[in-house]
Amino acid sequence: MADEEIDATEGNEPTLDLDLLSDDEDEEEEDEHELAEVDDDTPEYDEALPAEDQLMDFSYAAIKIIRCDFLGEFGAAEKCLIDGDALVAKALSESHLDWSAGGQSLPIVHTFEKILHDLSIRGANFSLFFFKSYSCLWRRLPPSAHAMREIIIQHLLIVNKLQQIQSKPPAVELYLLEGAWWGNKQDWNDMIDHASPAYIMTDFGWNGIKDPTVLAITRGFVHFVHGSHHQVVTLADFEVEGSRTMSNNMQPPRLPSSREKISKALARLLAKQSEALNAAATSDQDIGTIDIVEKSLRESVAIAALKVAAKREVCGDKTKDMIAMFCLTLAFCKFASLKERALSFSTEMIEKWRSDCGDWGNHANTLFDALFRVVSCSLEDFQSSNQILDAVTKDSDNRLADIIDGRLFHALLARTMAEGDLKLSTDVGSFGQKLIDLIYPGGQIQCGKFTAAVSEQAAKASRELIDAMIEAKAARSRVCTNTLLPLEGKHLVKAVQGDLANVMSDLENKNFDHSKHVLGKFRDRRYKDVEPLGDEPDPYTYRTSEEEIVIKKVNKWNNAARQAQLSARFSSGYIDSLLLGTPLKRQVIAQPLTNEEFERRKTTAKERLVKDEEMERRLEKSGKDSADKTESSKPGKEKKEKKGGKGQQASGKAEAIKAEAEKKRLEKVEANKRANLDHVIKHAPKDLKTDNEALLKHLEELRACAQQCINDSAPAIAIEAEMTALGHVLEAIKRDKKEDLLVKRHVKNAFVIIQRILVTCRGNVTGDKADDLAEAATCLGFTDLANAIEEIGKGDSEGAGGAKDKKDKKDKKDKKDKKD
């Protein structure tokens, strides 16, 4: 598994040959250019600034981050690729892992697999990939991190080999890429062509890593993925909320100018870090041929690594004792259960023991560092890895993931130092002695005994550690007795209410989730700078005694979240104004309606609609008659106006120019709004026809698009958006026809959409649109409303047919005057 070296002197320095500008005829790029023009907010490119700082500035300005349920947004069936190196870094950074005693490999592998299991049981379709060239980055990290990465990769290969032996499909599809994304990308391109992923899960800088070079390179990988026109979902922000899988979606920069700046800065970064990327692996850590011991992969790799440590005498005069203790640890791992190996001691306890026992603690750390280096280098090697895979059978012990248990090692070391001679069971003692004889043949060392002398101070510190471990285990298993607080003086009430105040205070300090798109979810209790409305209770006021505790209002949540809440309230008020006839005002989200109340509101709305139509028809007729009489009573006025001079003719030309300019402006506005509507329809949720939440989200997007069209004088596009939303609701009614509650909600949504069309786009309810709208109202059971819509369509069509141009209208008017 040798890294591919890059020689900068021969013109092979790291380059980014992928065109991040995408200036070919790419359909998505054309769609973006058809939208309204947006200014580039990214800073200007400056060669004088460090490439890392430039990339961070460009990222903050150009990359949009959205919190979402990515399996719901992209679709669980869609293929995704998971960056295995980023996932290993996430597993290593988990807070529940203990590294104070050398670390444990089994909990880390379990954490890694737990994330994959959470995705798998929720239907995710994913594959893992590792860059072999990332070894140059892992070697910059502690040896334990590098070794855990290689152990996880080898563990995955062993599991897939077992599946193959049993004639089963692989447990996980695994890609080990020979090349690098900054150099030879042939393997990467082949994987992309084969998998065709909808998105890639990685991190914008590995989680928990502080090395600046590693962070810069791994952040650059996100820009590389964006340049390949793929979405990025972060692993560091991955959380499971019931059936939802939440994380942050980092969307690629949309503007070509932003992508050009990022491309230049990324190329400069790779050239700067070429020395780190070309770093070759040290070959003196190789353990050579691995001999299979007791048909166990764990013992085979461990014994081979211990032989290298014994040859180099990494712990000086205590090397033999340390290696013998590690062999005893392997014997306990073979025969003891996980529950028996669950030892209770804290980081402070092990640190105190290490400081009091002299150099024994330092020698233990030295041994583990040497083992980590040898194991990582050996598992990287192609021949050693194949030797391990060839030894995998149904009968072999394949638990390579459990090769390191630092906590058990330190517990046995302290016990031996405290007692001097361990009393071991026959199985554990014989197996441990067998492993020791493989390293030091001839019975040089006895299992459970030290060859080096242990000082009295070290023995005392070890006894204190053992006593503390026993006490911690007893405290953990001790049954807690229930205690009652006295009621005198209302201490119980004070304790409960005081704790409640603390809980609510902690709730205030949590971050607001900006991914809530459903109207009802915008009403979040964490808004404290917006006063409660109506008779809504104030959840931040409590009465604990005679005094009233009021948690102070703060103003640290961003303006976008508050605007979203206010927008939701205004939208709720608008819906209620359509159903109740009340003016638009701020109010709380509407409560669920009963069937009787809904029928009453529907009947009232239909009656009001008919009355409004009749009043408008009468007003229009009376206004037209009065205008005819006024013009007919002054026949000389028209002639007088026709006798105007040049000034009047110039005024007519100016009006024509203005009219032509206004016409072009409206055409441009309609074209832009048409592009916006097509963009909303094109990016509709994929589970629109199966998930009601996705349907509500898309309906809200279409409503917002229609409202924007109305504001910009494009009602023709607005009615198309509303009709599209109405079509989705009608399809939902057909789909959920067996669910009475859902059907009633869909009917209500459809009724609101029809009312909105008649209020905002009434002048465009003509022809086929009027017929479709009337047919929809009839299907919903609103026959009177359908008849009224037909009348509106007939009246508007007659008006439109008689207004082709001013001259024809004038001629018809003259004929009517003569006839009268």
Side-chain angles (χ1 to χ4, degrees), residues 188-327:
W188 168 266
N189 295 332
D190 294 342
M191 179 184 67
I192 294 297
D193 294 340
H194 180 264
S196 299
Y199 57 99
I200 294 175
M201 295 190 70
T202 184
D203 271 331
F204 189 65
W206 287 346
N207 191 24
I209 303 301
K210 297 181 180 180
D211 187 274
T213 300
V214 176
L215 286 177
I217 296 300
T218 52
R219 286 170 181 166
F221 177 62
V222 173
H223 297 302
F224 169 75
V225 173
H226 281 167
S228 304
H229 303 286
H230 288 96
Q231 302 277 349
V232 171
V233 175
T234 57
L235 285 167
D237 307 299
F238 171 71
E239 292 179 352
V240 175
E241 300 177 1
S243 61
R244 302 198 304 166
T245 51
M246 307 300 297
S247 188
N248 288 341
N249 176 20
M250 301 182 67
Q251 299 182 349
R254 301 185 62 186
L255 298 179
S257 56
S258 301
R259 291 195 287 270
E260 182 181 5
K261 296 175 184 178
I262 292 175
S263 175
K264 291 181 179 178
L266 184 57
R268 193 155 56 92
L269 171 67
L270 294 176
K272 176 182 177 182
Q273 301 293 345
S274 60
E275 182 178 353
L277 299 177
N278 291 336
T282 54
S283 59
D284 59 341
Q285 303 289 343
D286 191 5
I287 60 180
T289 304
I290 298 178
D291 298 326
I292 305 303
V293 179
E294 296 292 328
K295 295 184 178 181
S296 175
L297 303 183
R298 174 180 56 194
E299 279 74 20
S300 301
V301 176
I303 293 300
L306 289 173
K307 287 181 179 179
V308 176
K311 182 179 179 181
R312 297 175 183 172
E313 295 185 354
V314 294
C315 300
D317 58 342
K318 297 183 176 61
T319 302
K320 294 182 179 181
D321 294 332
M322 289 294 175
I323 290 178
M325 196 53 55
F326 197 90
C327 293

Side-chain angles (χ1 to χ4, degrees), residues 489-505:
K490 298 182 180 180
H491 299 296
L492 178 63
V493 178
K494 287 185 177 181
V496 172
Q497 292 184 346
D499 183 63
L500 179 62
N502 293 333
V503 170
M504 296 305 296
S505 177

Side-chain angles (χ1 to χ4, degrees), residues 31 34-36 254 669-683 701-702 705 708-709 712 717:
D31 292 341
E34 291 177 0
L35 299 176
R254 301 185 62 186
V669 168
E670 288 189 357
N672 288 334
K673 297 306 171 185
R674 170 76 63 184
N676 287 333
L677 177 59
D678 293 341
H679 181 77
V680 171
I681 295 175
K682 180 179 179 181
H683 293 82
E701 292 173 349
L702 291 172
C705 180
Q708 190 64 35
C709 293
D712 295 340
I717 310 301

Side-chain angles (χ1 to χ4, degrees), residues 30-216:
E30 293 178 358
D31 292 341
E32 294 173 3
H33 283 294
E34 291 177 0
L35 299 176
E37 294 183 358
V38 182
D39 293 334
D40 187 1
D41 295 331
T42 56
E44 293 296 330
Y45 179 76
D46 188 357
E47 290 279 355
L49 295 177
E52 298 87 343
D53 298 341
Q54 285 259 287
L55 283 174
M56 288 298 296
D57 294 339
F58 295 155
S59 301
Y60 281 122
I63 297 178
K64 183 179 181 182
I65 301 178
I66 299 176
R67 183 75 174 173
C68 67
D69 175 11
F70 58 91
L71 289 185
E73 291 290 335
F74 293 100
E78 294 293 335
K79 188 76 170 183
C80 81
L81 293 175
I82 300 178
D83 184 356
D85 293 286
L87 187 55
V88 172
K90 175 178 172 59
L92 292 173
S93 65
E94 291 295 332
S95 59
H96 65 269
L97 298 176
D98 179 25
W99 292 96
S100 62
Q104 294 172 293
S105 57
L106 188 59
I108 296 173
V109 176
H110 171 74
T111 304
F112 182 91
E113 290 185 337
K114 180 64 168 56
I115 299 173
L116 299 181
H117 177 71
D118 290 338
L119 291 171
S120 179
I121 63 176
R122 287 163 179 82
N125 181 17
F126 60 85
S127 298
L128 276 174
F129 69 90
F130 290 86
F131 283 110
K132 294 184 179 180
S133 54
Y134 268 170
S135 296
C136 61
L137 302 182
W138 285 102
R139 284 192 293 273
R140 301 178 66 90
L141 305 180
S144 57
H146 189 191
M148 293 302 173
R149 184 241 190 185
E150 300 303 328
I151 290 172
I152 288 176
I153 294 177
Q154 196 67 33
H155 170 70
L156 295 174
L157 293 173
I158 292 172
V159 172
N160 285 346
K161 180 64 178 299
L162 281 174
Q163 293 289 101
Q164 180 183 356
I165 293 174
Q166 299 172 5
S167 300
K168 296 180 181 179
V172 59
E173 190 176 10
L174 184 63
Y175 294 96
L176 297 180
L177 307 181
E178 293 288 346
W181 62 266
W182 58 79
N184 183 10
K185 295 181 281 294
Q186 184 60 43
D187 289 348
W188 168 266
N189 295 332
D190 294 342
M191 179 184 67
I192 294 297
D193 294 340
H194 180 264
S196 299
Y199 57 99
I200 294 175
M201 295 190 70
T202 184
D203 271 331
F204 189 65
W206 287 346
N207 191 24
I209 303 301
K210 297 181 180 180
D211 187 274
T213 300
V214 176
L215 286 177

